[in-house]
Amino acid sequence: MKEHEWLKQFVGEWDTSVEVYMEPGKPPMTCKGSETAKMVGGFWVIGEGKAEMMGMPMSSLITLGYDPAKKKYIGTWIDGMSSYLWQYEGTVDEAGKLLTLESSGPCPKSQGKLREFRETVEFKSPDHRIFTSSIKEDDGKWTLIVKGEYTRKK
């Protein structure tokens, strides 16, 4: 399927540079790291991330696939800083450049409360992609909380 083919562009070794916006008006926390992504069976891509955040090592694992029955991209995210399993569902735009994933998860601003999240992956070129994560506020507006640049290692 063309959707499974689309996932193959994630495969490879990537350098990552991520900004995390903790509070409005304050400079973001930054972290640099890497991601190694591979295909599993031609249906799934698995990305293993390693970085340092707040002076501590952080690891993450993302899975992405396409569910033909739902006609949606699906996936999960786990990381070493949380016990929460994020579950994604989303679509790719007609141009084939922007993946938008919807999820819900713990609100970093108020413990115990789940919020809606929207995450995007935009391929600027085969060797450069941008990741964003936004949270839906109580007033319905979306606030950017994470922005990451991924550059393919040469």
Side-chain angles (χ1 to χ4, degrees):
M1 295 187 85
K2 69 176 183 175
E3 292 85 1
H4 294 122
E5 283 296 312
W6 187 88
L7 292 168
K8 290 181 180 177
Q9 62 192 325
F10 284 92
V11 172
E13 302 281 327
W14 301 84
D15 287 318
T16 63
S17 178
V18 177
E19 296 178 330
V20 180
Y21 301 89
M22 298 300 283
E23 293 182 50
K26 295 205 174 174
M29 285 192 309
T30 60
C31 65
K32 295 205 178 291
S34 63
E35 180 186 77
T36 301
K38 63 183 179 180
M39 289 298 293
V40 175
F43 298 103
W44 297 95
V45 65
I46 296 176
E48 185 175 358
K50 296 184 186 309
E52 188 173 298
M53 183 172 254
M54 297 182 289
M56 296 172 29
M58 187 188 113
S59 57
S60 62
L61 191 65
I62 187 168
T63 64
L64 288 173
Y66 182 78
D67 183 335
K70 290 183 176 182
K71 296 186 177 1
K72 298 269 186 176
Y73 286 87
I74 57 173
T76 60
W77 168 275
I78 58 171
D79 62 54
M81 299 182 87
S82 165
S83 63
Y84 192 79
L85 172 68
W86 294 85
Q87 297 182 58
Y88 296 125
E89 192 171 284
T91 58
V92 170
D93 70 346
E94 285 189 30
K97 300 288 184 195
L98 181 69
L99 171 65
T100 302
L101 298 167
E102 306 288 340
S103 188
S104 65
C107 177
K109 299 174 186 174
S110 49
Q111 298 297 343
K113 185 174 182 181
L114 292 182
R115 284 280 182 82
E116 290 180 52
F117 286 79
R118 178 178 293 147
E119 304 197 336
T120 65
V121 178
E122 182 177 10
F123 279 89
K124 295 294 195 177
S125 76
D127 297 328
H128 181 225
R129 71 185 202 254
I130 296 176
F131 168 84
T132 65
S133 179
S134 299
I135 187 170
K136 191 173 189 180
E137 302 289 356
D138 288 333
D139 63 5
K141 293 181 181 169
W142 291 93
T143 300
L144 178 71
I145 57 172
V146 177
K147 181 178 181 184
E149 299 259 351
Y150 290 67
T151 306
R152 191 179 300 278
K153 292 182 181 183
K154 298 291 180 191

